Amino acid sequence: MQDTSTSRPVHWSGPGLTRIPYAVYADAHVAAEEQARIFQGETWNYLCLEAELTEAGSYRTTFVGETPVVVVRDADGEVYAFENRCAHRGALIALEKSGHADNFQCVYHAWSYNRQGDLTGVAFEQGVKGQGGMPPGFCKEAHGPRKLRVASFCGLVFGSFSDEVPGIEEYLGEDICERIERVLHKPVEVIGRFTQALPNNWKLYVENVRDSYHASLLHLFFTTFELNRLSQKGGVIVDESGGNHVSYSMIDAQAEKDASYRDQGLRSDDANYRLKDPSLLAGFREYDDGVTLQILSVFPGFVLQQIQNCLAVRQVLPKDVERTELNWTYLGYADDTPEQRRVRLKQSNLIGPAGFISMEDGAVGGFVQRGIAGAHAMEAVVEMGGEGTSSSEGRATEASVRGFWKAYRHHMGA
């Protein structure tokens, strides 16, 4: 990989995972390689929820990396995905974020496609009054947008441009499958959505999601209201590939009273803040294992969260070297009572650009992006918890961050 700003190689300090060259967050050539090797390589990329494709003709437009994609349910009940690009001149086929379609027609020159992405019609294919038209040998079957492999797991729809990527359950691994099933064990409904712009490289946000070390240090809300402390019961699960992870914790009365944060003089032990509306945190118990917070990620850019009773999926999309788009989709179970739904909607204030918890995550990636300017030949230090990527019962570790880089380097051949 080349650093285009200096025409020097991006240098990794050996095969280890504890030193991350800052150039990987800021180099245009690296970003282009990621599109080819990761997003269009042997990975499964989150596309949408099956719950968003309720009937034949329901569709959503999304992205795999920078590539626009259409996801649609056909009359056979199956979900199909194909590049949102007309085979004629490259215009978008579907312009809306979602809708219903019997077929798709490009607005530019009216070339038509069915719901499986096949080119079915070319306007004036035979010309007009014997003049013009496509040549006799033109074959519609030989043209069309690229199609993706599609796989669903627990109502999550994933797509891949690769014929070599393993099946979705093998890709996720047994531990991750179990943790997805834990949350998505019954039908869900979308109860809200928004898109957040982040002023940083996409990998900085994915690292943040996997960084259990920072959560109770950066997020004052977590520790003030005793939702998440490193001293509470919990752990980190990292799959063998390193690419998929879970961090989880449970509120523990004994841990709430310890002095770990106060003894270190941390800002996160400031308890002078109170909620005017304490009902924000007055949720209900719905999981028998006692876990009150679970953050799960799938390489390269999917996140499933359970924070108290707030359920959501997040899709991380690179938009430029230093710009990322984060799509949030709030979920409720289809059998929620009105009271449970109100709790979920109220607790949705915990996350998002102005969320009591995740507000800081929208800024801190930008702090890093700005901080590494001019330091592309230097490296980040990722040694908390050792050098490996093993699962752990403690969360004062960066094992899952190192896991991301293990998967990243595998796919990038770095």
Side-chain angles (χ1 to χ4, degrees), residues 319-396:
K319 290 300 175 183
D320 203 343
V321 177
E322 299 182 359
R323 188 166 61 91
T324 299
E325 190 172 274
L326 180 59
N327 292 324
W328 300 74
T329 305
Y330 294 108
L331 305 177
Y333 294 122
D335 64 357
D336 278 347
T337 66
E339 292 76 15
Q340 289 172 330
R341 187 60 57 86
R342 280 194 291 272
V343 168
R344 296 197 202 283
L345 289 170
K346 181 170 283 190
Q347 289 188 1
S348 69
N349 289 288
L350 296 174
I351 63 169
F356 290 127
I357 292 172
S358 62
M359 169 174 54
E360 297 93 344
D361 291 330
V364 74
F367 296 163
V368 176
Q369 197 76 54
R370 289 155 58 189
I372 65 175
H376 294 181
M378 302 182 75
E379 302 167 317
V381 178
V382 189
E383 289 189 15
M384 181 62 63
E387 299 180 351
T389 62
S390 299
S391 300
S392 167
E393 292 185 1
R395 290 173 294 125

Side-chain angles (χ1 to χ4, degrees), residues 51 82 179 185 207 250-251 269 341 352:
F82 51 91
R179 288 290 177 154
H185 60 279
E207 281 186 311
M250 53 197 77
I251 294 176
D269 195 52
R341 187 60 57 86

Side-chain angles (χ1 to χ4, degrees), residues 4 61 63 70 102 108 113-114 179 183 188 205 211 221 258 265 298 307 325 350 353 358-359 365 367 370 376 413:
T4 54
T61 56
F63 292 84
V70 179
D102 295 325
Y108 198 0
Y113 302 85
N114 64 20
R179 288 290 177 154
V183 177
V188 297
Y205 184 78
D211 179 5
F221 193 93
D258 72 19
V298 175
I307 301 176
E325 190 172 274
L350 296 174
S358 62
M359 169 174 54
F367 296 163
R370 289 155 58 189
H376 294 181

Side-chain angles (χ1 to χ4, degrees), residues 50-81:
E50 286 200 54
E52 297 174 291
L53 306 174
T54 56
E55 59 185 1
S58 297
Y59 75 87
R60 286 199 62 82
T61 56
T62 184
F63 292 84
V64 170
E66 66 182 6
T67 305
V69 170
V70 179
V71 195
V72 59
R73 190 180 295 277
D74 203 1
D76 61 2
E78 296 295 318
V79 175
Y80 297 87

Side-chain angles (χ1 to χ4, degrees), residues 62-141:
T62 184
F63 292 84
V64 170
E66 66 182 6
T67 305
V69 170
V70 179
V71 195
V72 59
R73 190 180 295 277
D74 203 1
D76 61 2
E78 296 295 318
V79 175
Y80 297 87
F82 51 91
E83 203 174 9
N84 191 3
R85 175 188 57 81
C86 181
H88 178 216
R89 300 282 292 279
L92 292 173
I93 297 170
L95 302 179
E96 302 297 329
K97 289 185 177 180
S98 64
H100 184 280
D102 295 325
N103 52 59
F104 297 92
Q105 188 176 81
C106 175
V107 69
Y108 198 0
H109 298 94
W111 285 32
S112 300
Y113 302 85
N114 64 20
R115 294 189 294 217
Q116 298 185 23
D118 301 316
L119 176 62
T120 56
V122 174
F124 298 116
E125 182 178 0
Q126 306 302 320
V128 178
K129 296 182 180 181
Q131 300 294 317
M134 301 299 286
F138 179 76
C139 176
K140 288 192 286 290
E141 290 77 13

